Amino acid sequence: MSVVEIKVPDIGDFDAVEIIDVLVSVGDQISANQDIITLESDKAAMEIPSELAGTVVALNVAIGDKVSQGDTIMTLETAEKSQTAAIAPKEPVKTETVVEQAATMTQTPPAPVDVSDADLHAQVLVLGSGPGGYTAAFRAADLGKKVVMVERHERIGGVCLNVGCIPSKALLHTAQVINEAAHIGAHGVTFAKPEIDIRKIAATKDGIVNKLTGGLTALAKQRKVTVVRGEGKFSSANSLQVETAEGMQTISFDNCIIAAGSRVTKIPVFPNDDPRMMDSTDALNLDDIPEQLLVIGGGIIGLEMATVYNALGSKITVVEMQDSLIPGADKDIVKPLLKRVQGQYEAIYLNTKVAKIEPEKAGLKVTFEGKDAPDTAVFDKILVAVGRSPNGKLINAEAAGVAVNEYGFIEVDQQMRTNVPHIFAIGDIVGQPMLAHKATHEGKVAAEVISGIKSAFDPMTIPSVAYTDPEVAWMGLTETEAKAQNVDYVKGAFPWAASGRSLSLGRDEGLTKALFDKDSGKIIGAGIVGPNAGELIAEAVLALEMGADAEDIGLTIHPHPTLSETLCFAAEMAEGSITDLMPPRKTLHSK
């Protein structure tokens, strides 16, 4: 017998991550690779396994504790003495870039089944029909492949089209019109208080979704892509079993693209069965407009839904564990949003956690932990928006020999190939950022590689956008990242208070900033906050991909007066050639 300590492995860039569930108890007999605790970051929930089998003799952690790499989780009594010295942290999940070495893994997949036993055969099977999945399926079909696409929901389009990007943007547009109508009173035009008909609002949102998903169905039919509706799980390295309304179907395949996406993260200790608890899907249903709404999570999803419900009449409280809203963005880009919503919402509590939620007849009683938060408060409804978890552990991937790491992510190379050479994976399931526009490009790469085209997913940046009011968008390196990496950069920042177009909109809180490499002058990052920031960031992405420097951007003639010219002005600030403001002392040409 040997007694060993099981410690927190390398968990990537995360530090002081909260434990939301402890999955074992003292005295339990556990197996190797059995999950022992669940951590919650701002990006996803992670299960941490034990590297060894044995008996739990002591637990060093509890729910609510925060742990970092190297902290002791538990003490284990094990008979496997030879393994004690071999205990090492597992490889962290790669959340920012694709893993380049997965194709060299030596795991041997199971032997393929006899395809004659299958109900269908596909040259390319796509599991999931979200933006990445349908893009992969359609591209493969266009390249001459016989394609079958499996979708577990009634309508194709995945989370994005059905319960994510599209319906939320439809509601955000309604919120924008309400807010602009109220704001225009300062310009001398006053409208009556809007009458809110949530059934009509919901019907309009559903109509947009139906139009887009119906269009995808037509495109699938035109391309002769067979759509099978049902829950799909691997049965071997060359077959998938799908539980359909008509019964179980077996689909054999030559190649497969896993586009199974992610799901909302649930906090186990919350009363999730209470109908007053909402996730993002529930919030989009617009069952009612609560008077007092608590949003747990100050990230993109939580703040977008807060924007909607605030415009529709709810009193909003936001609680965020980190010291800033939208933790992935620079604080100066988030600051104008924070300042604006602080004047609109009941409260925003940063560095605060929800310790307990107790269902009561009068509402949901919440206990907070944070120096600026009250001890308790009661809310009519609560929206939990703490991130999404990948579905890698829900598709029986091990039957196909596909490696899924402890967090549920599937590691791939730059051709989107898993450790099984003829099985590919794309989208949320391969890692951060979990964004539809990332998945679509990955889907094209996978389809093209299968079709014999030399293709790789190697973007220089993937932009992020929060469709709040004002919008927040960024791409490339943030200032926080540049400082952490000791990058020698020059910043050009242009406040929208000096933009004629912004002032004409009655919005002077915006900011456009761009970061340039000090030696080459090339753009390496940008951040924009203000109306339509999500549209404006695309120019900065193109500039980075094309290797543009500050002079290139500054010499590009932008129409005036527009919001787009603020990127030009930011470049001129970095160059020192700005005339609309006084140039800064530190420029690209400073010694």
Side-chain angles (χ1 to χ4, degrees):
M1 287 291 181
S2 177
V3 176
V4 296
E5 289 184 340
I6 304 298
K7 299 179 181 295
V8 178
D10 185 344
I11 52 177
D13 298 331
F14 303 115
D15 189 37
V17 186
E18 183 180 9
I19 297 174
I20 60 172
D21 202 4
V22 177
L23 306 174
V24 296
S25 303
V26 174
D28 285 356
Q29 293 278 345
I30 66 171
S31 58
N33 294 317
Q34 179 177 332
D35 293 337
I36 53 177
I37 61 172
T38 303
L39 304 180
E40 180 212 342
S41 72
D42 61 319
K43 296 181 179 179
M46 320 174 193
E47 283 76 33
I48 303 299
S50 170
E51 299 252 346
L52 301 174
T55 302
V56 179
V57 296
L59 275 174
N60 297 69
V61 296
I63 293 174
D65 290 351
K66 291 185 178 181
V67 294
S68 302
Q69 179 181 342
D71 290 346
T72 299
I73 301 171
M74 67 181 185
T75 303
L76 193 69
E77 186 178 81
T78 176
E80 300 172 336
K81 295 182 181 179
S82 61
Q83 290 186 346
T84 304
I87 296 174
K90 290 190 175 182
E91 286 296 314
V93 59
K94 305 295 192 280
T95 57
E96 301 303 328
T97 60
V98 294
V99 181
E100 299 181 1
Q101 302 300 323
T104 64
M105 295 180 183
T106 58
Q107 184 174 355
T108 302
V113 298
D114 184 353
V115 298
S116 62
D117 294 335
D119 299 294
L120 278 174
H121 180 72
Q123 290 178 302
V124 179
L125 172 67
V126 180
L127 178 58
S129 73
Y134 75 71
T135 297
F138 294 174
R139 181 62 174 145
D142 290 346
L143 292 170
K145 298 297 183 182
K146 180 182 177 182
V147 181
V148 175
M149 182 166 61
V150 176
E151 172 53 52
R152 64 191 178 98
H153 292 115
E154 180 182 351
R155 298 181 297 193
I156 63 176
V159 168
C160 179
L161 266 71
N162 288 289
V163 292
C165 322
I166 302 305
S168 66
K169 301 313 167 282
L171 297 180
L172 282 161
H173 174 69
T174 300
Q176 179 185 359
V177 172
I178 294 173
N179 291 335
E180 287 183 348
H183 184 71
I184 201 68
H187 291 230
V189 179
T190 304
F191 293 97
K193 183 178 179 180
E195 295 182 7
I196 305 297
D197 185 337
I198 61 171
R199 299 280 72 82
K200 279 189 176 181
I201 294 173
T204 300
K205 177 249 313 176
D206 292 340
I208 294 169
V209 170
N210 290 337
K211 185 174 182 179
L212 287 172
T213 56
L216 289 178
T217 300
L219 287 172
K221 187 175 181 180
Q222 287 176 315
R223 286 181 161 94
K224 296 182 173 55
V225 172
T226 301
V227 179
V228 177
R229 288 176 171 82
E231 189 89 19
K233 294 185 178 182
F234 287 98
S235 51
S236 79
N238 285 90
S239 64
L240 189 85
Q241 288 193 324
V242 185
E243 188 175 346
T244 71
E246 294 76 32
M248 192 69 71
Q249 287 192 30
T250 299
I251 305 172
S252 59
F253 56 83
D254 299 329
N255 294 277
C256 178
I257 301 173
I258 302 171
S262 62
R263 64 196 183 280
V264 293
T265 299
K266 298 282 188 181
I267 307 299
V269 296
F270 288 173
N272 296 306
D273 293 337
D274 193 301
R276 295 169 293 183
M277 296 288 296
M278 299 189 295
D279 59 26
S280 57
T281 300
D282 301 323
L284 289 169
N285 289 333
L286 286 185
D287 292 331
D288 58 19
I289 306 301
E291 182 178 350
Q292 295 284 349
L293 174 64
L294 173 66
V295 177
I296 302 177
I300 291 176
I301 295 174
L303 292 177
E304 287 182 351
M305 295 314 302
T307 300
V308 170
Y309 275 85
N310 174 68
L312 295 178
S314 293
K315 296 177 181 178
I316 305 294
T317 298
V318 177
V319 58
E320 167 58 45
M321 290 177 58
Q322 307 296 321
D323 63 355
S324 174
L325 298 179
I326 315 181
D330 283 330
K331 289 184 179 181
D332 60 343
I333 293 297
V334 177
K335 186 177 179 180
L337 169 65
L338 175 61
K339 183 177 180 180
R340 184 173 177 85
V341 296
Q342 278 178 330
Q344 297 173 334
Y345 298 171
E346 290 292 290
I348 298 174
Y349 301 124
L350 301 177
N351 294 308
T352 302
K353 63 173 286 188
V354 171
K356 185 167 57 174
I357 299 175
E358 300 171 274
E360 296 182 348
K361 186 175 181 180
L364 295 164
K365 182 180 177 182
V366 179
T367 302
F368 296 98
E369 290 182 2
K371 65 177 184 178
D372 296 324
D375 291 335
T376 62
V378 177
F379 299 90
D380 299 304
K381 280 194 171 183
I382 296 175
L383 167 61
V384 181
V386 294
R388 301 187 64 83
S389 301
N391 289 328
K393 293 187 177 182
L394 305 181
I395 57 175
N396 200 30
E398 60 272 16
V402 174
V404 181
N405 70 19
E406 58 265 40
Y407 311 111
F409 289 108
I410 297 174
E411 297 180 351
V412 294
D413 63 15
Q414 288 185 306
Q415 293 186 313
M416 312 313 300
R417 187 180 272 113
T418 70
N419 61 301
V420 180
H422 65 282
I423 299 180
F424 298 71
I426 63 172
D428 289 3
I429 210 164
V430 303
Q432 298 286 353
M434 292 182 174
L435 298 170
H437 46 275
K438 164 180 159 284
T440 57
H441 284 265
E442 291 173 336
K444 282 189 175 181
V445 168
E448 289 168 355
V449 171
I450 289 171
S451 303
I453 297 174
K454 291 183 178 180
S455 185
F457 184 72
D458 189 24
M460 296 185 70
T461 187
I462 300 170
S464 296
V465 181
Y467 297 91
T468 46
D469 184 20
E471 292 182 2
V472 178
W474 67 99
M475 70 96 212
L477 284 179
T478 64
E479 271 200 273
T480 303
E481 292 168 339
K483 290 174 182 176
Q485 297 173 25
N486 294 317
V487 174
D488 191 7
Y489 70 92
V490 171
K491 176 174 68 175
F494 186 82
W496 286 19
S499 164
R501 180 61 176 146
S502 182
L503 291 176
S504 71
L505 298 174
R507 301 293 293 271
D508 63 355
E509 76 271 23
L511 174 72
T512 297
K513 74 170 181 178
L515 310 182
F516 300 91
D517 180 79
K518 180 70 169 85
D519 293 331
S520 68
K522 290 184 178 182
I523 188 170
I524 57 173
I528 305 175
V529 56
N532 299 312
E535 307 290 341
L536 301 174
I537 199 66
E539 182 184 352
V541 175
L542 181 61
L544 189 149
E545 289 283 358
M546 298 298 291
D549 58 24
E551 185 178 16
D552 293 327
I553 299 171
L555 290 176
T556 301
I557 299 177
H558 291 67
H560 174 79
T562 61
L563 298 177
S564 67
E565 65 185 339
T566 61
L567 182 62
C568 172
F569 293 150
E572 289 183 341
M573 290 288 278
E575 275 276 290
S577 60
I578 186 79
T579 56
D580 286 64
L581 290 174
M582 290 298 296
R585 287 185 296 174
K586 183 180 179 181
T587 69
L588 285 167
H589 305 294
S590 302
K591 293 184 178 180

